[in-house]
Amino acid sequence: MAFSFKRLLPHILILIGFIVFSLAYFSPVLQGKKIFQSDIMHYIGMAQQQKEFAKETGEETYWTNSAFGGMPTYQLGAKYPHNYIKKLDLTLRFLPRPADYLFLYFLGFYILLLSLKVDFKLAALGALTFGFSTYLIIILGVGHNAKAHAIAYMPMVLAGIILTFRKKYILGFLLTVVASGLEITTNHPQMTYYLLFLIIVLGLAYFIDAYRKKLLPHFFKSVGFLSLAAILAIGLNATNLMATQEYVNESTRGKSELTINTDGSPKEASNGLSKDYITQYSYGFAETFNLYIPKFMGGGNTEDVGKDSETYKAYINLGASPIEALEASKNAPMYWGEQPIVEAPAYVGAVIIFLFVLGLFLVKGRLKWWLVTGTILALLLSYGKNLEFLTNFFIDYVPLYNKFRAVTSIQVILELCIPVLGIFALVRLFNDFQKDEEKLKALKYTLIITAGLASVFLLFKSVLFDFEGLRDDDYIRAYGQPFIDAVIEDRKALFTSDTIRTLILVLLSAGTIYLFLKKKLSENLVIVVFAVLILFDLVSVNRQYVNNDNFESALRVDKPYQPNAADKQILKDKGHFRVLDMSTEGQQKPGRAAYFHNSLFGYHAAKLGRYNELMEFHIYNNNMNVLNMLNTKYIIAEDQGQIFPYDNPDANGNAWFISELKQLPDANTEIKALDSLDTKITAVTTESDFSAKPEVTKYLVDSTASIQLKEFKPNYLKYESNNLNDGFAVFSEIYYNQGWNAYLNGDLVPHQRVNYVLRGMEIPKGNHTIEFKFEPKVVATGSKIAMASSAVFGILLFLGIFYMVKRKND
């Protein structure tokens, strides 16, 4: 069969169109500007040390000392050998950020709809609908890049699975390997985990269908291909997955040995995150309608309500000048839902939800039930603590569910399902599977449901809702009841205007379909009309939250921190020590200190678990014994706006010999002992593998005994010791036994955890060289597996393409 460029041309033009839309929405990238993302600003601070190390040495360090006392870089953009799937990912992301992620949204969803045999024009429409979904744009605005990255590859994974179940075994297998490999390489386990939920629902739908049609052999054959694809995809990402799995057990996601809280009260046993932390962001029942009406709950925590608002007038009445009132009105507290912070509503779109409801009547079979089940499951789980019995069941019994926070994030599943069913409503509308009378009936029911709901809200809004927010009492205490009354009036105004907006879009959508069924509009014209409606619907909302104002010069984004006077003074000290930044800016920008120094704080969702507990028990309470043992040489303080470095002369230094080691029974006792422990002369431990077993071990420390740090890098430390007696040294370095090895005069020797988080080591008398090297076996092992998996896939890819070409030519 000859190659047909004509068949390929429409897809090429659509891909070019996706590029144009991506660059048009984020047009400042064409001027060399970059989007300012708060989360990425923190990340830049956290990753600065490892980037500098790579630049200076050409090597990768898998440990950084710049944040939280020290931690692996596995979740900070670490680069691994033979990670070829990552190279493919970088190739696909050829556009400037964040246009690259928007392009991936479009591309992945387009491939998904093509795998479902949707016409390329409708597939393109669906891709635009998915890509411009408000939540997917908002996360790009705030810097949730890894989340956006993972979401972008979700549809492509589903496409590979669907092709396999459609008996396109070779193509489906190859696409599933690539797409799943790309999904895993995004390194956002939470999104990938949620995708598995949707895959399970999809698998059940195909299983039930296969059972009814007596096609179970085909079903299990497909599962076999997909299982092999999953294994290969995991193999391609072996290093990252193995490192993450190893680290998660040591992180805040792992099981804690503590059974008490900071106040001494019993702690709820858990091998993951606490329920309160998991469900802190829980969707309210009424908030569901944000998906359909953008500012149903007022929008985000702060909204610009303008000069004509009641809030503006309230500020004027409080004595603010017109300029002050206008500025304050740009941050009016409009959100009145139940979540702590909301940047913007998770708006799916009035037009696509109208089509989704139409699809409930027109679409039949496994596709419908897969998408509806996925949508309902995601919505119910997003309610979190507001639907406690279901959430608790998943936390307690569903593997890994308790490892992730912010349950509202699972709504990405419905963000994907709703557009698919909505586009399939148009597919059914255009084909002849049903009579026009049935389609008109479906249209009538859809209009009654969607327009009727909006009308009810308009007519009875004051009866159904009080428009009062969780933080209104704070504003009443600060500004008085009249102020919050004005705010409520503005909330009602936003509610009304956006409900009317939704109603108009629904009526226009219904009218378009009605005219088509009455033969007044052609199929192509209907697609154009819906493209206009959907783009207007979504883009007009998105631009309120992510627009050109979010972009700044590349220099400002790439180097978000500038050293202040305190930083400059501390940087003159070329030693190895830690810094505690207590300034206002340091607390507001937790990645800032890590950009310049070895910081006690930082910004990361999965810190080392023991260090996090040390922070909660001692560091947050400024326990100087603990700060000293961590070698906190400088504390950045602030007095009346003046920032200065406090030189702490009592810091213990890099390492020291102790005179007493106490063996304690459990973690509770050990962390409490640090309250008053003189860490310069005494250490505590619960480790049981010391050569010295007595409850208290004494060591003779001669006045001439010394241990000095001679060389340091993020992944290497070299000390020289001198002691007339056998001794025990404590090192002010974070203990992490999954990679840190200790060497005495070149020989590998054991070292132990002391003082809850530090390293301790028995050192014989005399002069010795002690080295600590970070040599994680997981990287070496994982890289070999990744290389082997890449080789196997390369062979299978060649054979698969050869087979498909040969079959077509035959």
Side-chain angles (χ1 to χ4, degrees):
M1 179 182 287
F3 174 77
S4 175
F5 180 76
K6 185 177 181 181
R7 292 180 60 188
L8 199 59
L9 182 61
H11 302 298
I12 294 174
L13 294 176
I14 285 170
L15 292 181
I16 293 172
F18 290 161
I19 294 172
V20 171
F21 274 108
S22 301
L23 293 174
Y25 189 89
F26 295 114
S27 58
V29 300
L30 299 174
Q31 304 165 18
K33 293 184 177 182
K34 293 188 175 182
I35 191 167
F36 181 80
Q37 302 168 303
S38 57
D39 276 21
I40 300 306
M41 175 186 69
H42 301 317
Y43 164 77
I44 289 173
M46 293 282 290
Q48 180 66 9
Q49 186 178 91
Q50 69 198 75
K51 289 181 178 178
E52 288 181 347
F53 181 83
K55 184 177 179 181
E56 292 170 4
T57 66
E59 301 174 3
E60 186 77 14
T61 174
Y62 297 108
W63 184 270
T64 178
N65 288 306
S66 66
F68 298 118
M71 62 185 292
T73 63
Y74 303 146
Q75 303 301 310
L76 289 171
K79 296 177 176 63
Y80 303 112
H82 306 300
N83 193 0
Y84 303 116
I85 191 70
K86 186 64 180 180
K87 296 183 187 299
L88 174 60
D89 169 59
L90 293 172
T91 302
L92 291 173
R93 291 189 288 125
F94 60 91
L95 293 178
R97 187 166 297 171
D100 57 344
Y101 291 127
L102 184 54
F103 173 75
L104 284 185
Y105 288 160
F106 295 149
L107 175 64
F109 204 81
Y110 182 69
I111 292 173
L112 171 60
L113 290 180
L114 290 180
S115 74
L116 289 165
K117 298 190 286 189
V118 175
D119 176 76
F120 71 89
K121 289 174 286 188
L122 285 176
L125 176 61
L128 294 175
T129 306
F130 174 72
F132 281 124
S133 185
T134 299
Y135 180 76
L136 303 192
I137 297 297
I138 296 304
I139 59 177
L140 294 177
V142 298
H144 294 173
N145 288 354
K147 179 184 287 188
H149 200 177
I151 293 169
Y153 286 130
M154 284 182 177
M156 204 181 298
V157 175
L158 295 170
I161 294 170
I162 288 167
L163 284 171
T164 307
F165 278 123
R166 284 184 48 214
K167 299 186 179 182
K168 305 284 186 180
Y169 298 117
I170 303 301
L171 180 59
F173 167 78
L174 295 174
L175 180 57
T176 303
V177 174
V178 172
S180 299
L182 291 169
E183 172 67 30
I184 296 170
T185 203
T186 65
N187 197 30
H188 200 293
Q190 184 172 8
M191 293 299 103
T192 305
Y193 179 72
Y194 291 158
L195 173 61
L196 287 175
F197 280 13
L198 189 57
I199 290 172
I200 290 171
V201 174
L202 174 63
L204 287 173
Y206 271 103
F207 174 76
I208 293 169
D209 189 65
Y211 178 78
R212 288 175 175 172
K213 296 177 180 177
K214 302 187 186 317
L215 293 173
L216 285 178
H218 155 65
F219 174 82
F220 289 113
K221 181 180 179 181
S222 299
V223 170
F225 273 100
L226 294 173
S227 299
L228 179 59
I231 291 170
L232 270 178
I234 290 171
L236 294 174
N237 289 277
T239 317
N240 180 40
L241 289 173
M242 291 170 66
T244 298
Q245 180 57 40
E246 181 183 88
Y247 177 68
V248 74
N249 294 324
E250 306 294 330
S251 76
T252 51
R253 263 62 171 174
K255 185 176 182 179
S256 171
E257 293 182 42
L258 291 181
T259 59
I260 58 171
N261 294 305
T262 55
D263 60 1
S265 61
K267 180 181 179 181
E268 181 182 349
S270 173
N271 61 353
L273 302 174
S274 69
K275 288 182 181 179
D276 288 341
Y277 190 59
I278 292 170
T279 61
Q280 182 183 13
Y281 289 85
S282 294
Y283 218 52
F285 293 127
E287 206 164 358
T288 305
F289 299 106
N290 268 343
L291 304 170
Y292 181 50
I293 300 170
K295 292 182 181 175
F296 186 90
M297 283 282 175
N301 273 74
T302 58
E303 292 280 345
D304 185 354
V305 292
K307 189 174 182 179
D308 297 327
S309 66
E310 295 300 317
T311 301
Y312 174 86
K313 296 174 186 175
Y315 278 121
I316 293 292
N317 292 336
L318 287 169
S321 69
I323 294 177
E324 292 171 335
L326 186 60
E327 191 64 28
S329 297
K330 292 179 181 179
N331 296 290
M334 289 294 102
Y335 175 70
W336 50 282
E338 300 180 19
Q339 298 182 70
I341 299 173
V342 171
E343 293 288 340
Y347 181 58
V348 174
V351 177
I352 196 61
I353 284 185
F354 169 84
L355 291 174
F356 174 81
V357 176
L358 181 64
L360 296 177
F361 296 102
L362 293 181
V363 181
K364 310 294 182 183
R366 66 187 176 215
L367 175 72
K368 171 183 171 180
W369 297 116
W370 164 53
L371 296 170
V372 171
T373 302
T375 299
I376 294 174
L377 178 64
L379 186 60
L380 294 178
L381 288 174
S382 73
Y383 291 139
K385 60 188 175 185
N386 296 315
L387 197 62
E388 199 167 18
F389 78 92
L390 181 64
T391 300
N392 287 346
F393 174 83
F394 271 73
I395 290 174
D396 294 336
Y397 299 108
V398 176
L400 302 180
Y401 194 80
N402 63 354
K403 303 295 184 184
F404 307 110
R405 65 185 291 259
V407 292
T408 51
S409 296
I410 200 171
Q411 286 196 358
V412 298
I413 298 303
L414 65 84
E415 301 269 353
L416 191 155
C417 292
I418 288 174
V420 175
L421 189 58
I423 293 300
F424 260 89
L426 292 177
V427 172
R428 294 295 184 184
L429 183 72
F430 294 152
N431 65 32
D432 298 326
F433 290 170
Q434 291 155 297
K435 297 179 181 179
D436 285 352
E437 291 78 9
E438 294 178 50
K439 296 174 183 177
L440 280 169
K441 187 177 180 180
L443 176 62
K444 181 179 72 172
Y445 288 145
T446 301
L447 186 61
I448 290 172
I449 293 170
T450 54
L453 185 63
S455 299
V456 167
F457 288 147
L458 277 176
L459 294 173
F460 301 104
K461 59 178 181 287
S462 297
V463 175
L464 296 170
F465 310 109
D466 57 19
F467 296 91
E468 294 177 359
L470 294 177
R471 287 166 290 277
D472 285 359
D473 287 344
D474 296 337
Y475 288 99
I476 292 173
R477 284 191 289 269
Y479 302 120
Q481 185 64 45
F483 175 82
I484 208 64
D485 290 340
V487 167
I488 287 175
E489 288 304 311
D490 285 333
R491 290 170 179 168
K492 290 180 180 178
L494 289 177
F495 179 97
T496 301
S497 62
D498 273 24
T499 304
I500 292 173
R501 176 187 185 277
T502 288
L503 183 58
I504 291 172
L505 287 170
V506 164
L507 293 175
L508 290 173
S509 301
T512 300
I513 292 175
Y514 179 80
L515 291 175
F516 170 76
L517 292 174
K518 292 299 181 180
K519 314 301 182 189
K520 303 293 184 181
L521 292 177
S522 67
E523 180 179 317
N524 286 337
L525 191 54
V526 169
I527 294 174
V528 171
V529 170
F530 271 106
V532 172
L533 288 175
I534 287 171
L535 288 174
F536 167 79
D537 184 13
L538 295 174
V539 173
S540 62
V541 173
N542 295 344
R543 297 294 288 181
Q544 296 176 43
Y545 300 100
V546 181
N547 50 52
N548 293 0
D549 294 339
N550 295 82
F551 286 83
E552 298 185 10
S553 70
L555 181 63
R556 167 76 177 87
V557 174
D558 292 338
K559 295 185 177 180
Y561 307 106
Q562 298 301 318
N564 56 36
D567 296 319
K568 291 177 182 178
Q569 187 171 334
I570 295 171
L571 289 170
K572 292 177 182 178
D573 188 333
K574 301 303 180 182
H576 181 61
F577 51 81
R578 294 194 179 89
V579 175
L580 175 62
D581 191 349
M582 298 300 293
S583 68
T584 302
E585 185 181 19
Q587 299 301 301
Q588 292 174 344
K589 299 176 180 178
R592 186 189 182 284
Y595 189 82
F596 299 107
H597 317 291
N598 292 333
S599 174
L600 291 184
F601 292 152
Y603 185 85
H604 202 274
K607 302 176 281 292
L608 280 170
R610 276 184 166 257
Y611 186 82
N612 186 61
E613 290 163 350
L614 188 77
M615 288 199 299
E616 293 174 346
F617 274 78
H618 298 292
I619 297 176
Y620 291 149
N621 295 318
N622 295 320
N623 183 331
M624 288 306 300
N625 285 325
V626 170
L627 295 181
N628 290 337
M629 80 176 194
L630 291 169
N631 194 22
T632 310
K633 190 175 181 180
Y634 295 98
I635 299 174
I636 299 177
E638 185 174 358
D639 184 26
Q640 296 181 348
Q642 296 297 313
I643 298 175
F644 61 93
Y646 168 73
D647 189 342
N648 176 23
D650 297 322
N652 291 14
N654 301 116
W656 59 97
F657 285 107
I658 60 167
S659 58
E660 185 178 68
L661 176 65
K662 293 182 179 180
Q663 198 91 15
L664 301 179
D666 54 43
N668 294 343
T669 311
E670 185 179 6
I671 200 167
K672 287 169 65 177
L674 297 177
D675 278 334
S676 55
L677 187 73
D678 186 347
T679 57
K680 289 181 173 64
I681 61 174
T682 306
V684 292
T685 184
T686 56
E687 292 284 86
S688 59
D689 56 353
F690 280 102
S691 59
K693 295 293 185 180
E695 186 175 319
V696 179
T697 304
K698 301 287 186 178
Y699 295 93
L700 183 62
V701 181
D702 187 88
S703 60
T704 62
S706 68
I707 180 166
Q708 297 179 336
L709 180 66
K710 294 298 184 179
E711 186 179 346
F712 58 88
K713 300 174 184 176
N715 56 0
Y716 176 78
L717 300 113
K718 180 180 179 180
Y719 305 81
E720 290 183 358
S721 72
N722 175 37
N723 197 352
L724 295 176
N725 307 287
D726 292 340
F728 190 91
V730 175
F731 302 85
S732 60
E733 302 296 328
I734 301 302
Y735 178 85
Y736 186 77
N737 67 344
Q738 304 291 345
W740 275 111
N741 292 321
Y743 296 86
L744 182 69
N745 301 326
D747 295 326
L748 180 66
V749 293
H751 71 287
Q752 293 83 19
R753 183 178 62 234
V754 297
N755 293 357
Y756 207 72
V757 298
L758 298 184
R759 303 174 201 170
M761 181 176 168
E762 291 183 326
I763 301 176
K765 63 184 178 182
N767 298 324
H768 301 286
T769 298
I770 301 108
E771 296 170 290
F772 281 101
K773 301 177 183 179
F774 193 58
E775 302 168 317
K777 292 181 180 178
V778 69
V779 173
T781 304
S783 297
K784 292 176 183 177
I785 296 173
M787 181 172 63
S789 299
S790 299
V792 170
F793 178 68
I795 294 169
L796 292 177
L797 178 63
F798 174 78
L799 293 175
I801 293 174
F802 177 79
Y803 174 81
M804 287 189 291
V805 171
K806 185 176 182 298
R807 189 174 180 182
K808 283 187 177 181
N809 290 334
D810 291 345

